[in-house]
């Protein structure tokens, strides 16, 4: 028995606040192992609607594996939530939940035309042609829309892959190395498109090797090394973090 007979008054209830929207993507304690190799170890981060988050790190850090785990392309442990509900455990469950992605290897159908590639995800939907035209125009692909992807330059193919991801108007866009292999002009254009997509309310997760690019486009950066998060924060916080400089072999992370 407590010696006190009079209970404490209840604490004041917290001031009424508008409930914050749940993160569009919430990754908690993610772990992926390939045999004895732990490629992703207790990784947690969130992406809010309208936010651009970049996952960076040296080669082999586990970036693509995090991406593949979110997309249910590898066996994962831990939690992946979309709007506070468990993400699909199979890759074909993603599109119906508003998730689109581009892959590091592009994954285009080289024998099909640009337009056919872009309309694959929406082939059976009304308004698909108009939406495809809009996305093709935004990505400057209208003039090559009827050409086979095999006839396109690499930067054009990257834009086709992005167009295919955007055509379904996703609310979560996952991009694996979108700037990889591109020159300065294409990278600048990519940054502008990503900014527009985020401004429309879409959550964007970029997996990138290209540090300068993410410093410009990301609202927040999560840094991986050997499968673990070693730093996270705004571009400014991450750029000046000594652990990040060390992970990049002692080189300064230039803006
Ligand atoms: N399917 C796989 N089987 C075995 N090991 C893998 C597989 N995929 C990736 N790895 C290993 O996991 C680690 C992380 O790789 P990855 O996620 O591709 O790194 P990043 O995208 O950051 O360069 C590396 O050591 C890589 O060799
Ligand atoms: Mg990778």
């Amino acid at each position: 028995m407590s010696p006190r007979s009079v209970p404490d008054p209840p604490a004041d209830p917290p001031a009424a606040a508008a409930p914050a929207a749940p993160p569009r993507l919430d990754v908690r304690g993610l772990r992926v192992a390939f045999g004895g190799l732990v490629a992703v170890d207790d990784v947690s981060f969130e992406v809010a609607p309208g936010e651009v988050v970049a996952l960076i790190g040296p080669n082999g850090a586990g970036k693509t594996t995090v991406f593949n785990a979110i997309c249910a392309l590898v066996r994962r442990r831990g939690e992946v939530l979309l709007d506070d509900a468990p993400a699909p455990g199979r890759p074909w469950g993603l599109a119906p939940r508003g998730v689109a992605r581009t892959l590091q290897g592009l994954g285009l159908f080289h024998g099909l035309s640009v337009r056919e590639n872009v309309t694959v995800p929406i082939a059976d939907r009304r308004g698909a042609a108009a939406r495809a035209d809009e996305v093709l125009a935004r990505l400057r692909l209208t003039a090559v829309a009827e050409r086979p992807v095999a006839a396109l330059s690499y930067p054009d193919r990257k834009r086709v892959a992005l167009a295919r991801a955007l055509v379904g108007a996703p609310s979560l866009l996952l991009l694996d190395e979108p700037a990889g292999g591109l020159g300065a002009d294409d990278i600048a254009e990519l940054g502008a498109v990503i900014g527009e997509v985020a401004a429309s309310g879409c959550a964007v997760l970029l997996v990138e090797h290209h540090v300068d690019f993410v410093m410009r486009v990301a609202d927040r950066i999560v840094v991986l090394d050997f499968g673990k998060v070693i730093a996270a924060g705004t571009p400014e916080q991450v750029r000046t973090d000594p652990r990040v400089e060390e992970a990049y072999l002692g080189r300064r992370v230039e803006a």
Side-chain angles (χ1 to χ4, degrees):
M1 273 291 270
S2 160
R4 288 202 294 170
S5 54
V6 180
D8 288 328
D12 286 342
R24 180 66 180 103
L25 172 68
D26 189 355
V27 173
R28 297 185 189 171
L30 186 68
R31 179 183 162 95
V32 180
F34 298 112
L37 175 84
V38 180
V40 174
D41 191 2
D42 195 22
V43 167
S44 301
F45 62 90
E46 298 176 359
V47 189
E51 192 180 30
V52 179
V53 173
L55 195 56
I56 67 169
N59 256 324
K63 305 180 298 293
T64 291
T65 305
V66 168
F67 186 96
N68 287 344
I70 293 166
C71 297
L73 295 168
V74 295
R75 189 176 295 272
R76 66 185 181 223
R77 303 188 65 172
E79 281 185 286
V80 178
L81 305 174
L82 299 176
D83 300 325
D84 269 357
R90 293 285 182 262
W92 50 86
L94 291 165
R97 299 274 296 273
V99 183
R101 61 178 204 245
T102 65
L103 301 174
Q104 199 169 349
L106 299 188
L108 297 171
F109 302 104
H110 286 196
L112 300 184
S113 74
V114 169
R115 183 186 302 281
E116 285 164 337
N117 269 275
V118 168
T119 51
V120 162
I122 57 164
D124 59 348
R125 279 196 230 153
R126 263 197 290 156
R131 171 75 187 157
D133 283 342
E134 196 181 301
V135 172
L136 289 169
R138 175 61 190 94
L139 291 175
R140 295 189 295 104
L141 292 165
T142 307
V144 296
E146 315 311 329
R147 299 184 67 188
V149 160
L152 265 49
S153 67
Y154 183 75
D156 280 352
R157 291 181 196 189
K158 297 257 315 183
R159 290 213 304 279
V160 175
L162 183 57
R164 185 175 61 182
L166 291 176
V167 77
S171 50
L172 173 62
L173 179 63
L174 308 171
L175 304 172
D176 193 358
E177 304 234 3
L182 297 182
D185 290 352
D186 286 311
I187 289 177
E189 182 183 15
L190 173 68
V193 172
I194 289 171
E196 287 169 24
V197 169
S200 78
C202 182
V204 181
L205 177 66
L206 299 174
V207 166
E208 250 310 332
H209 192 67
H210 200 302
V211 177
D212 303 7
F213 171 66
V214 303
M215 290 287 169
R216 288 198 299 271
V217 303
D219 298 307
R220 282 187 306 118
I221 298 176
V222 177
V223 188
L224 280 187
D225 196 21
F226 296 109
K228 289 182 192 289
V229 175
I230 59 162
T234 63
E236 193 50 44
Q237 288 166 336
V238 161
R239 182 187 296 141
T240 53
D241 190 310
R243 286 163 302 185
V244 178
E245 290 185 22
E246 196 180 320
Y248 282 91
L249 302 172
R251 287 183 288 123
R252 279 199 61 80
V253 179
E254 305 288 351

